[in-house]
Amino acid sequence: MASSSHLSLLLLLLTLNLTLATVAEEEKSVTTASPKKTYIFRVDHRSKPSIFPTHSHWYASSAFAGVGDPLPLLHVYDTVFHGFSASLHPDRAAELARHPAVLAVFEDRLRRLHTTRSPQFLGLRTQVGLWSDSDYGSDVIVGVLDTGIWPEHRSFSDRNLGPVPSRWRGACETGPGFPTSLCNRKLIGARYFSQGHDFNAAVGGAGINDTIEFRSPRDADGHGTHTASTAAGRHAFRASMAGYAAGIAKGVAPKARIAVYKVCWKGAGCLDSDILAGFDRAVADGVDVISVSIGSGDGVAAPYYLDPIAVGSYGAVSKGIFVSSSAGNDGPSPMSVTNLAPWLITVGAGTIDRSFPAEVVLGDGRRLAGVSLYSGKPLAGAMFPVVYPGQAGGLSASLCMENSLDPKLVKGKIVICDRGSSPRVAKGMVVKDAGGAAMILANGVSNSEGLVADAHVLPACAVGSDEGDAIKAYVSSTGNPTATMAFEGTVVGVKPAPVVASFSGRGPNGLSPEFLKPDLIAPGVNILAAWTDAVGPTGLHSDGRKTEFNILSGTSMACPHVSGAAALLKSAHPGWSPAAIRSAMMTTASLVDNRQQPIIDESIGGAATPLDFGAGHLNLDRAMDPGLVYDLGDQDYVAFLCALGYGPNAIQVITHAPAICPAKRPAAENLNYPSISVAFDGAGGGAQSKTVLRTVTNVGAHAEVAYKAKVEVVGKGAAVTVRPEKLAFTAGVKKRSFAVTVTATGEGNGPDGGVGYGYLTWSDGSHEVRSPIVVSRIQPL
């Protein structure tokens, strides 16, 4: 018997070894053919067998994973999203996608960041209005998903702040350079998420560069410190960036609490799996507002159920958390706006009434205006030869790309570099390394006259495309072209302002033309805010300068202005929903600049339209008391998703709950949004009409009040009627509905291929509740 048992055991071991060898060979073959990738799995959490104490136990078990190795889980999501992320071969991911509890699977994608005086420019005043009425946002918690924070900065002092709100459930995670003692009553929480990047490094891809990064919430990039202080930084006296923009730096909600979630890493970007984990943790921790200056930037608008920012933000909004996002920096091209979900607010960028002028003075005496934040030794009127490498050096030389410049050509000269393809400040470093004396950064046609000031590493001036063309013409037509530069410091009271920044993402909404994006614009050009001590003002590794504050431009800078504004409104009106707060901002937004003229689009020099700025420019002096709001809840968003034709699984991916759509599909245009966007069949001729429904809620001080409708249509392409034309509210009737009929008349052409736009305003004599109306024709695919 013993001999027989030993023989059986030997055969069993031999069989097992052969099986393992076969599996190893198959695994090796699969690895060679299809390397592992990170996938995010949306799971129906109700399917968990009761035998497992948590979803994590279930996902890690063979009962879920099936035959083979346990799933290498990166993140487990259980707040804004139910599921997990894991690094798998595509074949195994496809196999798991067929699991009955798996609702959706999507591959991890890389996202990018959308990169003092502005609170006053928004209408905030010290003694009266929203600042005082909200106690500067005290006890509201703003969660910032970004590159982390430089916690010692005085913008994050907790001096004179009360105890941390008792509802806070977060933590201060430690790591290199970040002990728990760095959190305080202002910076109440800090976490970091790196698992997605760590997997990439494990399989030979680009991971986190530990020589320039901190494996902690500490900010090595600067972007997160800047956005956090813009939203909720404390008053910091004697602030400036090398003397520029000197004054008192402060966030929009100076007494709000900050919790940071480091989901983006210097040089490595932001991965969906980590972003979603940041959303999940922020909601579980108890934030009130989430600020996310991140977007795709690849021109691809994924369906909402495949967009982790859309999914994560829905999970937050459904729990009463306001989410503010950036519109992207790929303007002024039409349909360049990103972050399109209707439950979050999407913020474009405008200028403020402060500038940093500089001039290029040509040898023939002409003076051409530009901007610069250069703070080093000035040229002091000395004339230098001017050269344009693009005349003979090809495209890379014209763009001053790395290793593209011939030192013999540029040494000791002012070098003209075309904007594009590489960071503006990096071009200056290339010129400096090649021996150039200074740089003229010339806009191309796509940037037009839109100027962004930078803290260049050598004397440099950015000029518009017209000025750039004039300088290039001078160089090509003159035997010995020369020039110098003059830097004029800080100028305030600039008119016109605001102006829609040329880079700001533009509508129409490429995913759902039934509602307008961006929602509004906010200050996003030349914004002074706190900075990390890890890098210089350019963010370049080779820039050894240090600055306590930095001046940046981008919709990344506009987004936290709205995040801070939401904190103030939430503090003043704790019962308002995220949709009500968004409505208050949008319906009170400004359409005119500081000259009381229509807001200008920087890219064309003419009047901007709702496709450029949404409802207008944020005006917090009026948002405190909007009169009426357009409110929305979960059922409204579910009806909208049904209107898009999404199936039950796709809707559940977003909303967490199964949805049964009505037999008659709802109209997507009836989403109770503060703006109205009507898209007609571009192939259809003649007049076409659609009627959309809206409901407003009276949140004003007077219960007995009546509002009258006023319609303004720009151009001849559309006609708009409203029924009823008067809305009466009482103590017992706080909501009223109305219908708007929009007709595309077929006369003329409106902006950007549309047929017109206009505004619907409800007025009671003291409130003006305004909604933009955009009418467009969509060409069938």
Side-chain angles (χ1 to χ4, degrees):
M1 291 292 295
S3 177
S4 175
S5 296
H6 285 305
L7 181 61
S8 298
L9 180 59
L10 184 61
L11 289 172
L12 177 61
L13 289 173
L14 181 60
T15 302
L16 181 60
N17 286 336
L18 288 171
T19 301
L20 290 174
T22 302
V23 170
E25 284 300 316
E26 290 177 352
E27 183 75 10
K28 181 178 179 181
S29 175
V30 170
T31 302
T32 302
S34 52
K36 286 184 177 181
K37 298 179 180 179
T38 299
Y39 295 91
I40 301 170
F41 293 81
R42 174 69 169 94
V43 180
D44 184 350
H45 64 288
R46 300 168 306 156
S47 300
K48 179 182 74 67
S50 58
I51 191 174
F52 297 103
T54 67
H55 285 85
S56 296
H57 287 89
W58 179 36
Y59 301 148
S61 72
S62 59
F64 188 94
V67 178
D69 295 334
L71 294 177
L73 302 178
L74 300 177
H75 296 291
V76 172
Y77 313 107
D78 55 15
T79 305
V80 301
F81 183 84
H82 283 287
F84 60 89
S85 56
S87 55
L88 302 168
H89 293 295
D91 288 350
R92 192 169 191 202
E95 179 184 333
L96 283 173
R98 295 189 287 271
H99 192 290
V102 172
L103 300 173
V105 180
F106 37 94
E107 189 178 326
D108 210 2
R109 286 201 302 159
L110 188 68
R111 308 275 170 162
R112 70 184 187 189
L113 298 162
H114 285 153
T115 128
T116 56
R117 184 177 172 83
S118 52
Q120 287 89 339
F121 192 68
L122 293 175
L124 292 171
R125 291 167 287 171
T126 303
Q127 302 298 327
V128 296
L130 188 50
W131 255 349
S132 58
D133 291 342
S134 66
D135 190 22
Y136 297 85
S138 178
D139 290 346
V140 176
I141 303 168
V142 179
V144 182
L145 274 62
D146 214 294
T147 64
I149 196 165
W150 196 260
E152 298 92 346
H153 199 286
R154 55 192 172 112
S155 293
F156 309 121
S157 165
D158 65 353
R159 184 179 180 183
N160 298 327
L161 284 181
V164 174
S166 58
R167 69 184 186 281
W168 176 243
R169 302 179 294 275
C172 191
E173 294 182 353
T174 61
F178 209 102
T180 56
S181 60
L182 290 177
C183 288
N184 56 26
R185 296 189 304 273
K186 177 66 173 179
L187 176 60
I188 64 174
R191 299 183 186 272
Y192 64 101
F193 304 85
S194 62
Q195 289 90 324
H197 288 294
D198 291 341
F199 162 71
N200 280 350
V203 296
I208 296 167
N209 185 345
D210 290 315
T211 65
I212 61 172
E213 256 292 3
F214 301 96
R215 290 277 180 166
S216 73
R218 184 173 289 280
D219 182 11
D221 180 89
H223 192 276
T225 300
H226 200 279
T227 57
S229 64
T230 299
R234 298 300 301 276
H235 288 71
F237 295 88
R238 296 182 300 279
S240 74
M241 197 288 291
Y244 286 99
I248 303 172
K250 52 194 169 295
V252 177
K255 291 175 70 174
R257 315 307 173 105
I258 295 173
V260 299
Y261 299 85
K262 185 174 178 177
V263 298
C264 301
W265 299 79
K266 184 174 178 62
C270 330
L271 285 171
D272 284 342
S273 55
D274 294 336
I275 294 170
L276 198 51
F279 269 111
D280 201 61
R281 192 67 258 173
V283 174
D285 286 347
V287 304
D288 301 303
V289 175
I290 292 178
S291 186
V292 53
S293 293
I294 306 169
S296 61
D298 57 7
V300 178
Y304 301 120
Y305 57 86
L306 295 180
D307 179 357
I309 292 179
V311 172
S313 60
Y314 184 91
V317 169
S318 67
K319 296 181 184 300
I321 299 166
F322 184 92
V323 180
S324 175
S325 67
S326 48
N329 300 331
D330 293 326
S333 301
M335 216 175 292
S336 53
V337 62
T338 65
N339 293 322
L340 303 176
W343 40 85
L344 49 74
I345 193 166
T346 307
V347 189
T351 66
I352 62 174
D353 62 342
R354 180 179 63 199
S355 184
F356 309 103
E359 277 189 328
V360 175
V361 183
L362 300 181
D364 62 7
R366 281 182 290 169
R367 308 179 75 93
L368 302 174
V371 296
S372 182
L373 290 170
Y374 173 68
S375 59
K377 183 179 179 180
L379 299 184
M383 303 298 288
F384 291 83
V386 185
V387 62
Y388 176 46
Q391 281 184 319
L395 180 61
S396 62
S398 72
L399 294 167
C400 297
M401 303 295 285
E402 190 172 359
N403 298 320
S404 67
L405 300 182
D406 182 356
K408 295 178 182 178
L409 176 67
V410 305
K411 186 176 181 179
K413 299 177 182 178
I414 296 178
V415 182
I416 303 171
C417 298
D418 290 329
R419 184 173 166 183
S421 298
S422 64
R424 299 180 300 272
V425 290
K427 297 176 188 294
M429 186 63 77
V430 171
V431 172
K432 182 178 181 181
D433 289 344
M439 175 180 71
I440 297 171
L441 183 62
N443 279 2
V445 175
S446 61
N447 303 115
S448 188
E449 302 307 305
L451 297 180
V452 178
D454 295 298
H456 292 284
V457 295
L458 81 171
C461 178
V463 298
S465 59
D466 289 346
E467 289 79 4
D469 289 344
I471 296 170
K472 292 172 189 175
Y474 165 71
V475 170
S476 64
S477 62
T478 305
N480 183 29
T482 60
T484 189
M485 295 178 190
F487 304 100
E488 300 173 15
T490 304
V491 175
V492 298
V494 173
K495 294 183 179 182
V499 171
V500 181
S502 62
F503 60 76
S504 185
R506 311 304 173 96
N509 185 332
L511 190 58
S512 301
E514 298 86 0
F515 65 95
L516 183 62
K517 289 288 183 176
D519 293 306
L520 45 69
I521 62 171
V525 178
N526 297 331
I527 304 302
L528 178 78
W531 193 243
T532 178
D533 202 39
V535 294
T538 62
L540 298 174
H541 183 61
S542 54
D543 185 359
R545 298 173 296 171
K546 301 297 181 185
T547 182
E548 187 185 18
F549 294 87
N550 201 4
I551 296 171
L552 299 181
S553 299
T555 57
S556 279
M557 285 63 252
C559 168
H561 280 88
V562 171
S563 306
L568 297 179
L569 290 171
K570 199 171 185 71
S571 182
H573 301 288
W576 282 8
S577 70
I581 294 173
R582 174 180 58 201
S583 177
M585 294 183 191
M586 291 177 64
T587 59
T588 60
S590 298
L591 298 180
V592 296
D593 58 29
N594 53 3
R595 307 168 304 168
Q596 298 305 305
Q597 297 294 318
I599 291 175
I600 296 297
D601 175 3
E602 186 179 54
S603 68
I604 62 173
T609 77
L611 294 176
D612 306 313
F613 57 45
H617 189 275
L618 180 64
N619 182 350
L620 290 180
D621 192 37
R622 296 182 56 219
M624 173 73 175
D625 180 22
L628 306 175
V629 296
Y630 294 80
D631 210 353
L632 284 163
D634 286 353
Q635 291 307 310
D636 300 289
Y637 293 125
V638 169
F640 170 74
L641 296 172
C642 288
L644 297 183
Y646 286 7
N649 279 5
I651 294 176
Q652 189 176 353
V653 167
I654 300 168
T655 65
H656 295 211
I660 300 177
C661 292
K664 183 179 179 181
R665 182 184 292 188
E669 294 91 345
N670 288 339
L671 181 69
N672 200 41
Y673 217 70
S675 57
I676 297 171
S677 179
V678 181
F680 293 104
D681 181 2
Q688 302 178 59
S689 293
K690 284 187 180 180
T691 298
V692 301
L693 305 178
R694 290 292 187 272
T695 300
V696 286
T697 303
N698 180 24
V699 295
H702 301 291
E704 304 279 343
V705 66
Y707 282 81
K708 292 183 179 180
K710 179 179 70 175
V711 174
E712 175 190 5
V713 177
V714 179
K716 300 180 179 180
V720 179
T721 58
V722 182
R723 294 290 183 272
E725 296 180 346
K726 182 178 181 180
L727 302 176
F729 298 89
T730 66
V733 180
K734 293 185 177 296
K735 294 180 180 289
R736 287 293 188 186
S737 298
F738 59 92
V740 179
T741 300
V742 180
T743 302
T745 64
E747 299 178 36
N749 289 310
D752 298 292
V755 295
Y757 66 93
Y759 299 94
L760 164 63
T761 303
W762 291 101
S763 176
D764 67 346
S766 59
H767 299 95
E768 297 282 326
V769 187
R770 184 177 55 246
S771 294
I773 302 172
V774 172
V775 187
S776 57
R777 292 187 184 271
I778 304 298
Q779 295 296 330
L781 298 177

